[in-house]
Amino acid sequence: MSSQVNQEQGVQGGEQQDGSQTVLYTRKRGYDITRDPHLNKGMAFSLEERLQLGIHGLLPPCFLSQDVQVLRVLQNYERQKCDLDRYILLMGLQDRNEKLFYKVLTSDIERFMPIVYTPTVGLACQQYGLAFRRPRGLFITIHDQGHIPTLLKSWPEDDIKAVVVTDGERILGLGDLGSYGMGIPVGKLALYTACGGVKPQECLPVMLDVGTDNEELLKDPLYIGLRHKRVRGKAYDDLLEEFMKAVTDRYGMNCLIQFEDFANANAFRLLNKYRNNYCTFNDDIQGTAAVAVAGLLAALRITKTKLSDHTVLFQGAGEAAMGIADLIVMAMEKEGTSKEEAIKKIWMVDSKGLIVKGRASLTHEKEHFAQAHEEMKHLEDVVKNIKPSALIGVAAIGGAFTEQIIKDMASFNKRPIIFALSNPTSKAECTAEQCYRLTEGRGIFASGSPFDPVTLSDGRTMYPGQGNNSYVFPGVALGVIACGVRHISDEIFLTTAEVIAQQVSDEHLEQGRLYPPLQTIQEVSVKLAVKIVENAYKDNTASVFPEPEDKEAFVRSQLYSTDYDQFLMDSYSWPEEAMKVQNVNISLD
């Protein structure tokens, strides 16, 4: 029997030899059991467990199975009037009963993902003052500088394998939401578990609150963060430096730190600063890149072309665009195209127009993709002039792909590739229906937020692919954590894109899907993690030894189970009255 002990909570777990059931021993008793979301099973505690744990009488006398509890949650879910209420209901369940929360999520991930993740999580962040019930994760402020190691000790779990951190400055396409941005790390880590099987007790959401420049929030009486302008410069950098060191000092250099929703000015430089020194990645840059390139690789099976045959135009030149462009270049190089030639196939439009050589005030990242061309201001004109075969929207400008742009894409492409990747739905560059209708069903479409199926005039029903980062970060995290990868390279994200694209069947492509159905996302994550583990041992980048012979079995052994554990008191710490219970002949009839 393998076991795991948490000294703080006095919880010890062991899995039986056949892996069929986990038995937990805990020193906690009574009321504390029913208020601990990691331990609480609600009315599913057996009579024996209730007696031994000292909770008999604290619960109604009825016994409800986990399946019945799921049914009760679903009935309550249906009674809610809007998605925000559904979000609050599910987050409340997570606060009370963790196993049941994840059992509900995984029972129909396609149904619940839009609630705990995009697009509803964006609304929840905007109204986090209303949605906030109890703290999940750590709130570290600029005024805590010098004391971050002490704050980390406040967190009750000692064995943290993954941290998702934000400073709230660029939440989805909604801008600076300050401390309200905590909904993003919480939601991301919920998907670490629901989609990737990472154990929730090994995950830590963190908000670095340095203030906000959002005047509406500063005046909002319900705002939960610091009420002053954002602190920048050296003080900000010193806070990040202390945070990174404190996390790895406490949880080890293998602890995965995912950066989430930092503004462009900080996202690129922080990634470049820390990527070779810590186990870290930026999901907005690298995760979005992997899922977008996965969609492109799947689309190539429809167009019967190579990636290097395409000209790609981006609406937007921020974190997402740069990340996708860099990975496209890497993929084209893998096909045999030189880096210089690959870069020439990528064009970008930002708020000031087409990015060209000699244009004033270009950042280092934008200069990398600046082309030798006359300046052009409007996307419609750029599309007509450049004639791209793939158009990718990542600027969070709703409706940016106008009717004329979509028709133009269809006029010079047999199968135009149109990706409207901005979140939430209100920021999408176009809808699935607009793309399919205006291209007469020839458009190859993907979006960042979910869209309903579209039935065409010829009777075909198209199922638009959702380029959801949840195809990427849970599986990457599972693989990286499992084998102890110290540094996350861009090659991992190209591998990720290839694995995801391989999971798309020919039947899916005929239906318009560029991604595997969301119902299969857990298996996609496992396949992705296995590939990462295999490559890590080949490249000598793994730090967990001995190397497992069966990599898939090794990964699956790491997965979190949503089934309830069996609880027994640790016999070495039972009080005298509990010891007597062992000799009672308990009848459950």
Side-chain angles (χ1 to χ4, degrees):
M1 176 184 291
S2 61
S3 64
Q4 187 175 22
V5 180
N6 182 323
Q7 297 294 341
E8 293 288 328
Q9 297 189 17
V11 177
Q12 179 175 331
E15 188 172 322
Q16 293 186 1
Q17 294 289 339
D18 61 0
S20 61
Q21 188 177 37
T22 300
V23 179
L24 292 183
Y25 305 91
T26 176
R27 297 187 182 93
K28 281 193 173 184
R29 284 181 59 76
Y31 196 74
D32 288 343
I33 293 285
T34 64
R35 291 300 182 268
D36 187 328
H38 297 314
L39 303 179
N40 185 30
K41 299 198 298 185
M43 293 171 65
F45 283 110
S46 68
L47 177 57
E48 183 179 11
E49 287 173 325
R50 295 182 191 200
L51 289 169
Q52 291 182 344
L53 297 172
I55 58 176
H56 186 54
L58 297 180
L59 298 169
C62 182
F63 301 91
L64 298 181
S65 69
Q66 193 176 25
D67 289 340
V68 173
Q69 290 178 317
V70 169
L71 179 62
R72 183 170 63 179
V73 171
L74 294 181
Q75 289 184 353
N76 274 306
Y77 183 88
E78 289 299 328
R79 293 174 62 243
Q80 306 307 308
K81 296 180 180 179
C82 66
D83 284 346
L84 181 61
D85 288 343
R86 296 183 183 99
Y87 172 88
I88 292 173
L89 181 143
L90 290 176
M91 291 303 103
L93 177 61
Q94 187 180 18
D95 288 337
R96 297 191 310 275
N97 185 331
E98 200 165 62
K99 290 271 190 181
L100 184 57
F101 169 75
Y102 287 111
K103 176 68 78 171
V104 170
L105 249 59
T106 55
S107 70
D108 191 346
I109 193 70
E110 192 166 8
R111 179 185 186 186
F112 295 113
M113 187 181 291
I115 303 300
V116 299
Y117 192 46
T118 56
T120 305
V121 72
L123 176 63
C125 285
Q126 288 177 300
Q127 303 189 41
Y128 210 65
L130 292 174
F132 183 82
R133 294 295 183 271
R134 55 185 287 187
R136 296 197 63 83
L138 280 180
F139 290 82
I140 299 174
T141 77
I142 190 72
H143 307 301
D144 294 317
Q145 195 169 332
H147 305 285
I148 295 179
T150 302
L151 264 67
L152 290 178
K153 290 179 182 177
S154 300
W155 191 247
E157 302 290 343
D158 291 327
D159 188 20
I160 296 297
K161 300 291 181 60
V163 173
V164 175
V165 58
T166 186
D167 69 354
E169 190 170 6
R170 193 205 62 84
I171 298 299
L172 301 176
L174 303 171
D176 187 349
L177 297 185
S179 207
Y180 278 1
M182 181 55 126
I184 296 296
V186 170
K188 288 279 183 178
L189 287 172
L191 296 187
Y192 264 49
T193 301
C195 301
V198 179
K199 297 178 178 66
Q201 64 270 25
E202 296 177 351
C203 298
L204 173 59
V206 175
M207 160 57 63
L208 295 178
D209 190 349
V210 299
T212 178
D213 291 337
N214 188 323
E215 291 292 342
E216 290 185 12
L217 291 183
L218 292 174
K219 297 174 183 176
D220 182 0
L222 298 181
Y223 182 58
I224 62 175
L226 294 178
R227 293 179 182 273
H228 59 63
K229 293 286 188 178
R230 282 189 172 271
V231 174
R232 303 186 185 276
K234 185 176 184 303
Y236 178 91
D237 287 350
D238 288 347
L239 180 75
L240 264 295
E241 189 70 28
E242 184 183 348
F243 169 74
M244 299 296 286
K245 186 175 187 305
V247 167
T248 50
D249 282 350
R250 180 161 177 78
Y251 304 124
M253 291 303 296
N254 285 359
C255 183
L256 170 62
I257 302 174
Q258 175 181 326
F259 283 82
E260 191 68 37
D261 286 358
F262 284 72
N264 289 353
N266 290 318
F268 290 107
R269 68 183 189 87
L270 292 176
L271 175 61
N272 292 330
K273 181 178 181 180
Y274 292 122
R275 65 187 306 166
N276 295 322
N277 297 318
Y278 295 91
C279 178
T280 186
F281 73 97
N282 184 301
D283 186 53
D284 304 297
I285 299 172
Q286 297 162 290
T288 301
V291 78
V293 171
L296 290 174
L297 294 178
L300 296 180
R301 290 164 55 190
I302 299 174
T303 61
K304 309 297 183 184
T305 56
K306 297 191 303 180
L307 190 55
S308 51
D309 293 331
H310 289 266
T311 299
V312 184
L313 174 62
F314 287 88
Q315 163 65 10
E319 298 168 45
M322 294 299 171
I324 298 169
D326 283 335
L327 205 61
I328 288 174
V329 170
M330 186 181 294
M332 287 184 179
E333 286 184 276
K334 193 170 182 178
E335 290 180 342
T337 302
S338 69
K339 186 171 186 177
E340 293 74 19
E341 288 301 311
I343 290 174
K344 290 179 182 178
K345 296 176 181 293
I346 294 173
W347 300 73
M348 293 188 179
V349 174
D350 64 8
S351 60
K352 297 178 182 178
L354 185 64
I355 294 177
V356 296
K357 294 184 184 297
R359 206 188 82 179
S361 303
L362 289 180
T363 64
H364 172 72
E365 290 79 19
K366 291 181 181 180
E367 283 181 351
H368 186 58
F369 291 101
Q371 304 288 3
H373 195 279
E374 63 178 326
E375 291 193 29
M376 304 183 76
K377 295 293 185 184
H378 304 294
L379 182 63
E380 282 191 7
D381 296 333
V382 174
V383 169
K384 288 179 180 178
N385 188 278
I386 302 300
K387 293 181 171 55
S389 53
L391 179 62
I392 300 177
V394 283
I397 301 175
F401 296 169
T402 63
E403 180 173 334
Q404 186 60 53
I405 287 174
I406 297 173
K407 285 183 175 180
D408 285 342
M409 287 290 294
S411 70
F412 41 74
N413 289 294
K414 182 179 179 181
R415 299 301 304 268
I417 299 171
I418 299 175
F419 285 7
L421 299 182
S422 293
N423 283 312
T425 309
S426 61
K427 301 291 186 178
E429 287 77 11
C430 69
T431 67
E433 183 176 5
Q434 288 168 337
C435 175
Y436 292 132
R437 177 172 53 83
L438 295 172
T439 64
E440 299 176 333
R442 293 184 287 117
I444 301 173
F445 178 81
S447 59
S449 290
F451 282 101
D452 293 331
V454 177
T455 300
L456 303 176
S457 56
D458 60 8
R460 287 183 299 152
T461 298
M462 307 299 287
Y463 295 84
Q466 185 188 355
N468 197 315
N469 285 24
S470 57
Y471 284 111
V472 175
F473 61 80
V476 169
L478 178 62
V480 166
I481 290 170
C483 64
V485 172
R486 291 284 173 88
H487 307 298
I488 303 176
S489 66
D490 285 332
E491 284 75 13
I492 283 180
F493 291 100
L494 183 55
T495 297
T496 296
E498 293 169 345
V499 170
I500 295 170
Q502 289 164 5
Q503 305 309 308
V504 183
S505 68
D506 291 340
E507 182 182 355
H508 294 151
L509 294 175
E510 289 176 6
Q511 297 172 343
R513 300 181 191 268
L514 297 181
Y515 299 95
L518 278 174
Q519 302 98 301
T520 67
I521 196 167
Q522 291 166 312
E523 277 303 304
V524 173
S525 295
V526 169
K527 286 182 170 62
L528 173 53
V530 170
K531 188 64 174 177
I532 289 172
V533 170
E534 288 174 349
N535 289 348
Y537 283 105
K538 286 179 185 176
D539 300 339
N540 295 318
T541 55
S543 64
V544 173
F545 292 98
E547 177 182 348
E549 292 185 11
D550 188 333
K551 307 296 192 297
E552 181 173 344
F554 171 68
V555 169
R556 290 189 183 278
S557 71
Q558 314 284 318
L559 300 180
Y560 174 74
S561 172
T562 60
D563 295 331
Y564 284 142
D565 302 313
Q566 178 184 347
F567 284 85
L568 292 173
M569 289 293 294
D570 183 345
S571 60
Y572 291 103
S573 60
W574 281 359
E576 184 177 348
E577 62 271 19
M579 294 293 288
K580 295 177 182 177
V581 174
Q582 295 181 90
N583 300 318
V584 176
N585 184 16
I586 300 174
S587 173
L588 300 181
D589 294 334

